[in-house]
Amino acid sequence: MLTAALVGLPLSGRSTVLNLLTGAGVEVRAFATGRAETERGVANVPDRRLTYLADMYHPRKVTPAQLEVVEVPGLVRGSSEGAGVGNRFLAEIRTVDAVVHVLRAFTDARVPHPEGRIDPLADLETVELELLMSDLGVLERRLERLTTGKRKAADEAERRLLERCVAALGEGRSVRSLDLGAEERSLLAGFGLLTEKPAVWLLNVDEGQLTGDDPVRRRVQEAAARAGVPLVVLSAKIESEIAQLGPEERALFLSDLGVEESGIDRLARAAYSALGLISFLTAGPDEVRAWTIRRGATAQEAAGRIHSDIARGFIRAEVVAFEDLRAAGSMARARELGRVRLEGKEYVMADGDVVNFRFHV
Ligand SMILES: Nc1nc2c(ncn2[C@@H]2O[C@H](COP(=O)(O)OP(=O)(O)O)[C@@H](O)[C@H]2O)c(=O)[nH]1
Ligand SMILES: [Mg+2]
């Protein structure tokens, strides 16, 4: 299962968001206490296609896609140089697959901001600088080894690549922003560079900042568009209230806010998508289920997600796009309309493909 890390300054709302995503029951505190462990949990990725298929098949079980979420504690200004406990956790972020930057825009006198002012873009810069410095340290140590050791021709390509990365970081640019080929990316993969990981920004706002022309929200939206990073705007406080409601009240509450979906649901899907993941679906009277694959996975790889025997004995995949199935109203009708295709091993799966694999054992 792939992992997304919630990263941010203390008291930005990470624990609140982790609880909302995973129901992990992590303690939420109004003051930064310095006590710090990595908290983790598993989040369901909400998918309305599953609800629709469940209405169609009345299965015994509905299984959504999932991703792991961890809260990275203790990042403050100076962490990469050993301030606070942050340095330890920078190493921990190296193992995750994507980073969610939790940015505080809410104002609350009972929750003191560690830097004494509300400025989400400045907070982002503070945290990104720590990630950048940490990457710089990793690359410089490696470069030193490459230049002082016996110089091998095979190391030359790596050395040039690392120098390019170091130059970018030195100018305050992330490794993500570099235009790298597949070979270069795989050379870098082992370093777990923090600024190379896909990112999502989460702006945690007050209720009043959710709608209308809020200048803070607008500035962050513009910066996200410039950086090409997906942005989710939500109020963790309101999301916590929504989470207490039953399904009907919840729908009413959301329609009062003028939205169809809670911010937390949007966040889960944004992180899933930033991780490069899509879902294919299987449906029957036993189970309706979303299965996670990488974007670009083939039908045979998808079959292997369910069982290695299905991949090995793969004959054909019967595939219908979810939207085609919905338009047809039933699998039988979709078949009559010629919407159900037979695909081979090499077929590249699309998000929302409803699939039945034919295989021999
Ligand atoms: N007013 C307000 N308070 C919030 C919001 N999100 C979190 N908080 C509060 O801020 C404090 C710190 O939240 P927490 O999730 O523990 O932050 P963390 O340190 O980043 O894990 C807690 O008292 C939360 O109740 C919000 O959207 N609005
Ligand atoms: Mg916390």
Side-chain angles (χ1 to χ4, degrees):
M1 197 184 300
L2 295 192
T3 305
L6 299 170
V7 172
L9 293 185
L11 306 179
S12 52
R14 291 158 304 159
S15 294
T16 310
V17 169
L18 181 71
N19 283 338
L20 287 163
L21 281 170
T22 66
V26 169
E27 187 192 351
V28 170
R29 284 166 264 121
F31 295 92
T33 59
R35 189 184 71 96
E37 296 112 47
T38 309
E39 307 273 5
R40 56 183 68 227
V42 172
N44 289 336
V45 181
D47 190 335
R48 267 177 281 174
R49 297 172 301 199
L50 290 180
T51 319
Y52 185 89
L53 291 174
D55 285 343
M56 206 159 161
Y57 285 91
H58 305 287
R60 273 188 282 280
K61 199 169 151 202
V62 178
T63 311
Q66 297 187 317
L67 57 98
E68 190 182 30
V69 186
V70 306
E71 174 185 354
V72 178
L75 279 192
V76 291
R77 190 184 292 278
S79 286
S80 59
E81 289 162 339
V85 289
N87 208 12
R88 208 174 96 215
F89 296 107
L90 281 165
E92 221 162 295
I93 318 178
R94 294 204 183 286
T95 64
V96 308
D97 305 291
V99 170
V100 177
H101 282 280
V102 181
L103 307 175
R104 171 171 172 177
F106 70 88
T107 309
D108 190 333
R110 287 161 307 173
V111 183
H113 187 289
E115 306 214 335
R117 45 109 187 95
I118 302 299
D119 186 342
L121 287 176
D123 291 351
L124 174 69
E125 207 174 306
T126 301
V127 170
E128 283 222 302
L129 183 64
E130 297 310 317
L131 304 187
L132 237 121
M133 296 299 286
S134 175
D135 281 354
L136 209 48
V138 168
L139 294 177
E140 280 173 343
R141 276 193 297 279
R142 171 70 183 159
L143 268 174
E144 207 172 278
R145 219 165 309 143
L146 283 178
T147 36
T148 56
K150 242 196 265 152
R151 284 203 164 202
K152 279 178 264 154
D155 293 339
E156 271 309 293
E158 180 181 352
R159 203 172 53 81
R160 274 199 307 276
L161 172 63
L162 299 197
E163 273 168 359
R164 251 179 93 195
C165 295
V166 165
L169 292 167
E171 290 165 15
R173 286 186 297 127
S174 64
V175 173
R176 194 186 317 120
S177 72
L178 289 174
D179 187 20
L180 300 176
E183 216 163 293
E184 294 171 310
R185 297 227 172 261
S186 83
L187 257 178
L188 288 181
F191 297 110
L193 297 178
L194 306 176
T195 68
E196 203 209 357
K197 297 181 189 295
V200 174
W201 294 356
L202 166 59
L203 188 66
N204 186 8
V205 299
D206 281 319
E207 179 167 14
Q209 297 174 292
L210 276 172
T211 50
D213 185 28
D214 178 69
V216 174
R217 198 191 74 221
R218 179 159 34 80
R219 263 191 286 124
V220 176
Q221 277 165 334
E222 287 164 1
R226 270 198 307 277
V229 177
L231 170 70
V232 175
V233 180
L234 60 75
S235 164
K237 192 173 178 198
I238 295 192
E239 296 291 325
S240 305
E241 289 166 19
I242 295 173
Q244 313 284 322
L245 302 173
E248 273 159 39
E249 284 174 302
R250 184 181 306 198
L252 268 177
F253 192 106
L254 291 176
S255 80
D256 277 351
L257 287 174
V259 294
E260 274 186 31
E261 199 181 18
S262 76
I264 281 297
D265 288 358
R266 274 185 287 124
L267 175 63
R269 285 194 295 99
Y272 193 70
S273 157
L275 286 163
L277 302 176
I278 58 172
S279 297
F280 74 89
L281 313 167
T282 54
D286 282 333
E287 189 180 26
V288 162
R289 179 161 179 169
W291 301 83
T292 300
I293 48 176
R294 292 214 178 249
R295 203 173 288 132
T298 63
Q300 191 170 32
E301 287 163 346
R305 286 287 297 129
I306 302 179
H307 201 289
S308 55
D309 288 348
I310 305 182
R312 211 173 303 123
F314 186 100
I315 301 170
R316 281 270 183 279
E318 281 188 302
V319 181
V320 54
F322 172 79
E323 287 307 332
D324 287 346
L325 175 58
R326 173 152 72 179
S330 74
M331 193 59 89
R333 182 73 187 132
R335 243 182 259 284
E336 281 168 25
L337 293 169
R339 294 297 184 184
V340 182
R341 295 166 277 132
L342 280 179
E343 302 284 3
K345 287 178 187 175
E346 300 303 325
Y347 166 72
V348 175
M349 302 290 291
D351 186 43
D353 276 346
V354 182
V355 186
N356 177 35
F357 290 106
R358 294 194 194 158
F359 63 103
H360 45 71
V361 280

